[in-house]
């Protein structure tokens, strides 16, 4: 039995089938069979396939009467003997490494569906793309998802890549009795993938455009909208109705937009062909479409354009041509002036792993719940300066200023010694920041006075140690929402922290004054609740750090596996404060297991224990290191948090001043035995009941999410 069965439906494809088969035969993976399903071709296509079969016995030809591409694919599924099925259209081609890499990822991730991006190429460029592919595959990044996140991929994030079956590797067992709907002339593959992903399959996306989609007049897709053909928007409407029935209005609205656009294009083709009978039928269908509940949720401009298409098509044509121009103009205006309804003020500008990852978790959670949330580009010098080549970190008092000068000189010399690694780390930090956190085109805000011009109605403060005066050089108004802004309606702190259970007494009066500007207060450490309630005078809620809002699969979408971590077993160490006991334990663990120790550093601070050190790590790379590590040993809160999320064997050591948050997160998840404190050393090999941990995480995520969303709903005029 072959490992992979490649299924190629063919109908009158003599111009393209040879190149298609050559691209499959040239794959670096060899253990496969190639099933060409001839759907009653009347040209030389079957003869070409037969000649190629004589030269390579991996090719099999199945012949049937013409019945459409769905029946051809269904026959291919029935006749295929491979554990995995790979679908390819007879006029397309694939990169030489595609099947090998897809199969490797499918088995590594235990995935049921693996797919990649695609390139649209005309016939002249197809040969060049295949020739270019012979140079090798290079480094491949991937994303994984399952369950609700996989459905979100299908409907929104990777909707284009998942609209067709070409270039998809599927596990045979996951398909089961599912088959392509023969009643659909177009969109049958979209419906097939929709039903497959609804079945809770695990998906992997390869971030390579390795499926080569050929553009030519004979394409079945091109002809699907021709007069006399079956209307090709039926699958979109069926998916819309099903999602509407399930109460998934966001997904249903997406398919309503697709269906409306398809109806407009189909009607335009009919008008060009002067098919009056079909046009009359389409106008009746359009009138029925206007009564659908999802149609009323479309934007006013979308509804007007739809009505214009079917009532005055002559005017619709020039207006529709102007739409791309208007959209670009709108995008430019929105970029300069418009903001979401929620502004997040946090430590996104700090080159600190936890600061950036928690900012991503919070922003992603709000957006996934339909909130228009942005991270405010508040980037004061006292936060960004410590990451300059000549670091600037102001300290209070005249002694602090003198000490700051010494720190600047020492930091500059240290950066020079590791200039290549430091430069790469800056690049990795900025890559994550500008790809996932903030829009680089938005103007920076350097002082609290600049916040008064913002247009947000609700502000979410945090999380992270935004209330730690040792980090922010004193308590700052911006991180309490204590700034003038006439549009500001509500201020919420989410998982704000000062690192411990309380501040020094000298800050009590100032803290009480500033926190009074916050309408709803939540903190990250439960031990801090009594102290804040005493000064705030009202209820304070303890919530989870926002990194727990996202599951492991979501974090894998943003991780970057460093070369040092790829195909290697190791112990990961990350310190936020030198700890001799922790360094000695890591050495002992290395001797006992025979594994090397990899140490990650965000700055110059480390164990100095002779471990292999990576100075260039960014947030994505840290996730990659944790993902591939056998063991994690750290006194960092977020290293512990992600060890829980990634379900790693880990031990947590306590920071001398900031230990409350580590103790708190371990207690919440019932993992107190993973804590090393004082003379107590835990057993890193002890089995962890991850099912019980997941249940605790799920419940606390639910409560924390409800707090945040309920408080936002109280904001005047905030849209969902």
């Amino acid at each position: 039995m072959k490992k992979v069965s490649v299924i190629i439906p063919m109908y009158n494809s003599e111009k393209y089938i040879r190149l298609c088969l050559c691209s499959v035969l040239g794959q670096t993976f060899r253990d496969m069979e190639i099933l060409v399903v001839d759907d009653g071709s009347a040209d030389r296509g079957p003869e070409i396939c037969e000649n190629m079969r004589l030269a390579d016995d991996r090719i099999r030809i199945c012949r049937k009467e013409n019945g459409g591409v769905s029946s051809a694919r269904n026959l291919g599924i029935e006749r295929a003997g491979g554990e995995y099925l790979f679908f390819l259209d007879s006029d397309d081609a694939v990169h030489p490494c595609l099947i090998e890499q897809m199969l490797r990822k499918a088995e590594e991730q235990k995935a049921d569906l693996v797919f990649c991006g695609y390139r649209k190429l005309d016939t002249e460029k197809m040969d060049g793309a295949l020739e270019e592919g012979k140079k090798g595959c290079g480094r491949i990044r991937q994303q994984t998802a399952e369950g609700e996140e996989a459905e979100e991929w299908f409907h929104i994030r990777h909707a284009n890549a998942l609209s067709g079956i070409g270039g998809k590797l599927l596990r045979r067992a996951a398909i089961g009795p599912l088959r392509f709907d023969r009643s659909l002339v177009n969109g049958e593959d979209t419906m097939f993938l929709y039903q497959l992903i609804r079945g809770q399959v695990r998906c992997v996306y390869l971030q390579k455009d390795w499926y080569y989609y050929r553009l030519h007049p004979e394409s079945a897709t091109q002809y699907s909208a021709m007069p006399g053909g079956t209307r090709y928007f039926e699958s979109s409407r069926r998916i819309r109705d099903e999602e509407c029935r399930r109460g998934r209005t966001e997904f249903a609205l997406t398919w309503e937009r697709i269906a409306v656009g398809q109806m407009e294009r189909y009607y335009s083709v009919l008008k060009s062909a002067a098919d009056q009978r079909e046009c009359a039928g389409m106008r009746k269908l359009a009138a029925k479409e206007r009564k659908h509940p999802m149609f009323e949720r479309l934007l006013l401009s979308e509804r007007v354009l739809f009505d214009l298409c079917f009532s005055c098509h002559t005017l619709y044509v020039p207006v529709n041509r102007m739409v791309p121009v208007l959209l670009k103009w709108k995008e430019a205006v929105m970029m300069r002036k418009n903001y979401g309804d929620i502004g997040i003020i946090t430590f996104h500008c700090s080159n600190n792993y936890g600061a950036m990852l928690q900012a991503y978790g919070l922003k992603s959670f709000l957006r996934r719940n339909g909130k228009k949330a942005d991270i405010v580009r508040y980037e004061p010098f006292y936060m960004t300066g410590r990451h300059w080549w000549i670091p600037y970190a102001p300290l209070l008092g005249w002694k602090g200023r003198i000490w700051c000068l010494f720190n600047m000189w020492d930091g500059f010399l240290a950066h020079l010694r590791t200039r290549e690694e430091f430069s790469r780390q800056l690049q990795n930090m900025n890559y994550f920041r500008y790809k996932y956190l903030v829009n680089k085109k938005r103007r920076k805000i350097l002082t609290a006075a600049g916040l008064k011009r913002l247009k947000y109605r609700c502000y979410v403060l945090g999380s992270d140690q935004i209330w730690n005066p040792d980090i922010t050089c004193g308590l700052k108004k911006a991180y309490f929402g204590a700034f003038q802004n006439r549009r500001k309606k509500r201020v919420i702190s989410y998982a704000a922290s000062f690192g411990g259970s309380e501040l020094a007494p000298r800050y009590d009066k100032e803290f009480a004054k500033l926190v009074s500007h916050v309408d709803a207060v939540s903190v990250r450490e439960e031990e801090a609740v009594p102290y804040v309630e005493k000064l705030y005078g009202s209820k304070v809620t303890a919530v989870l750090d926002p990194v727990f809002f996202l599951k492991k699969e979501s974090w894998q979408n943003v991780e970057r596996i460093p070369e040092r971590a790829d195909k290697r077993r190791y112990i990961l160490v990350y310190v936020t404060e030198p700890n001799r006991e922790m360094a000695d334990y890591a050495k002992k663990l290395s001797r006992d297991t025979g594994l090397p120790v990899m140490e990650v550093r965000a700055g110059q601070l480390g164990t100095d224990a002779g471990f292999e050190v990576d100075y260039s790590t960014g947030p994505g790379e840290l996730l990659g290191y944790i993902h591939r590590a056998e063991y994690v040993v750290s006194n960092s809160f977020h290293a512990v948090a992600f060890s829980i999320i990634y379900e790693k064997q880990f031990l947590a050591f306590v920071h001398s001043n900031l230990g409350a948050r580590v103790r708190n997160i371990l207690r919440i998840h019932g993992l107190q035995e993973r804590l090393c404190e004082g003379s107590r050393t835990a057993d890193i090999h002890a089995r962890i009941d991850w099912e019980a941990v997941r249940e605790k995480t799920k419940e606390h995520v639910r409560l924390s999410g409800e707090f945040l969303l309920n408080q936002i709903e109280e904001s005047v005029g905030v849209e969902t």
Side-chain angles (χ1 to χ4, degrees), residues 383-418:
M383 290 302 299
T384 60
R386 64 194 71 193
H387 310 301
W388 296 343
W389 277 93
I390 302 178
Y392 167 70
L395 299 174
L396 299 178
W398 65 269
K399 291 183 179 179
R401 294 188 182 94
I402 294 174
W403 189 248
C404 177
L405 294 175
F406 284 105
N407 286 340
M408 291 171 69
W409 177 248
D410 288 344
F412 177 61
L413 292 178
H415 290 163
L416 284 180
R417 286 193 296 269
T418 60

Side-chain angles (χ1 to χ4, degrees), residues 345-352 376-388 390-396 404 407-408 444-451 461 465-483 510 514:
I345 299 180
T346 187
F347 284 169
H348 75 280
C349 60
S350 175
N351 285 353
N352 176 279
V376 177
R377 286 203 69 184
Y378 177 57
E379 301 179 9
F381 292 144
Y382 60 80
M383 290 302 299
T384 60
R386 64 194 71 193
H387 310 301
W388 296 343
I390 302 178
Y392 167 70
L395 299 174
L396 299 178
C404 177
N407 286 340
M408 291 171 69
K444 294 181 184 179
I445 298 174
L446 303 179
T447 64
L451 298 173
L461 312 172
Q465 299 180 59
I466 58 170
W467 292 347
N468 187 339
D470 294 333
I471 293 177
T472 56
C473 306
L475 298 173
K476 300 297 183 182
K477 293 181 178 180
Y479 296 114
F480 291 85
F483 51 85
E510 184 181 6
L514 290 173

Side-chain angles (χ1 to χ4, degrees), residues 537-549:
S538 187
K539 182 181 179 181
V540 174
T541 304
V543 294
L544 275 185
D545 187 283
V547 298
F548 288 100
F549 280 141

